[in-house]
Amino acid sequence: DTEVTQTPKHLVMGMTNKKSLKCEQHMGHRAMYWYKQKAKKPPELMFVYSYEKLSINESVPSRFSPECPNSSLLNLHLHALQPEDSALYLCASSQDFRFGTGTYEQYFGPGTRLTVT
Amino acid sequence: AQTVTQSQPEMSVQEAETVTLSCTYDTSESNYYLFWYKQPPSRQMILVIRQEAYKQQNATENRFSVNFQKAAKSFSLKISDSQLGDTAMYFCAFMNLGALGDMRFGAGTRLTVKP
């Protein structure tokens, strides 16, 4: 099963709302990622988790708060977002890269299309 | 910092023809991975092909093959016998072995396959 699932598919939220994006994978991967993708642009890395620990944070504003409750789940908590945060949010997973084994390609979910009003 | 450049914002090809998408990258590292990802309209991003920098042999996956020129820092994707389902945005991506997990994408090439 090479599938990464994301919920919800679409989300509209006001600037004062609190919402969460969810991502799940059952491939036994121990590295999980959040990306932000604006229209007609490449994905931009936001966060990387390795063995449920945050290993990369690309200076993302604190209104985005990631959480990795276990090896299969990744959440992105959203609070006080701005209209410019509207984008497609992609989750991905890969084999763990800490020990020099594996092929490291990332498997992507379908994304959550977020609109901030 | 690593940069990835895709100089062709848009391309088109007739069905059954062959097309080549270009990608160049800039790095001072010697060990890295290169990838081509495909993102069809409103659909999921999927891996097309992968190349390890230490391998001299060019990777192939069915109709997809790469021309990896390490000295020139070039990594082009050739699609043979193009099909309508190949219509998508194609992203070239770089990942340094010393910074595994930190994958950087090019700006993308929008490919349209015409019937």
Side-chain angles (χ1 to χ4, degrees):
Chain A
D1 184 8
T2 56
E3 188 177 62
V4 177
T5 59
Q6 291 186 243
T7 55
K9 289 186 67 174
H10 301 275
L11 178 63
V12 178
M13 61 185 290
M15 289 189 285
T16 59
N17 291 158
K18 286 185 180 181
K19 296 287 185 182
S20 297
L21 309 184
K22 297 185 184 301
C23 174
E24 188 168 8
Q25 57 89 13
H26 294 289
M27 293 179 278
H29 290 166
R30 301 309 296 269
M32 297 186 75
Y33 311 78
W34 280 116
Y35 288 88
K36 174 182 178 180
Q37 186 179 26
K38 300 285 269 186
K40 299 184 180 181
K41 297 290 187 182
E44 297 175 16
L45 185 65
M46 299 175 72
F47 303 104
V48 180
Y49 274 83
S50 173
Y51 281 79
E52 296 94 70
K53 294 192 186 305
L54 186 64
S55 68
I56 296 178
N57 176 342
E58 290 287 343
S59 302
V60 178
S62 60
R63 57 185 183 269
F64 295 91
S65 175
E67 178 196 21
C68 192
N70 60 54
S71 60
S72 300
L73 292 173
L74 185 66
N75 298 322
L76 186 63
H77 303 296
L78 314 172
H79 174 55
L81 295 192
Q82 304 296 310
E84 59 265 28
D85 296 322
S86 298
L88 182 67
Y89 287 84
L90 296 170
C91 174
S93 71
S94 75
Q95 292 178 329
D96 177 59
F97 44 75
R98 293 186 311 168
F99 302 112
T101 60
T103 53
Y104 314 119
E105 62 261 28
Q106 296 179 18
Y107 294 85
F108 285 82
T112 293
R113 190 160 299 282
L114 174 67
T115 303
V116 182
T117 60
Chain B
Q2 283 73 227
T3 58
V4 181
T5 302
Q6 294 179 249
S7 59
Q8 306 149 314
E10 293 189 25
M11 294 189 72
S12 64
V13 63
Q14 292 295 132
E15 196 174 7
E17 297 292 307
T18 295
V19 64
T20 298
L21 280 56
S22 65
C23 173
T24 59
Y25 56 94
D26 184 26
T27 183
S28 58
E29 305 294 334
S30 58
N31 293 318
Y32 48 87
Y33 283 83
L34 293 162
F35 306 91
W36 278 99
Y37 279 88
K38 166 186 176 181
Q39 190 175 34
S42 301
R43 291 182 63 190
Q44 201 155 338
M45 186 170 311
I46 58 173
L47 177 71
V48 175
I49 202 163
R50 175 188 71 247
Q51 175 80 43
E52 293 92 332
Y54 64 87
K55 290 186 177 179
Q56 294 188 348
Q57 186 171 9
N58 289 326
T60 61
E61 286 288 341
N62 301 313
R63 298 183 294 107
F64 299 88
S65 62
V66 297
N67 183 1
F68 173 49
Q69 301 288 329
K70 191 172 184 179
K73 297 179 183 176
S74 171
F75 182 60
S76 60
L77 174 70
K78 185 171 83 171
I79 306 174
S80 303
D81 186 25
S82 297
Q83 300 176 0
L84 296 178
D86 294 333
T87 292
M89 182 72 96
Y90 287 81
F91 292 103
C92 177
F94 173 99
M95 185 162 64
N96 178 6
L97 272 175
L100 289 171
D102 188 355
M103 190 159 67
R104 302 291 167 167
F105 290 86
T109 296
R110 184 171 300 279
L111 176 68
T112 301
V113 180
K114 298 180 178 180

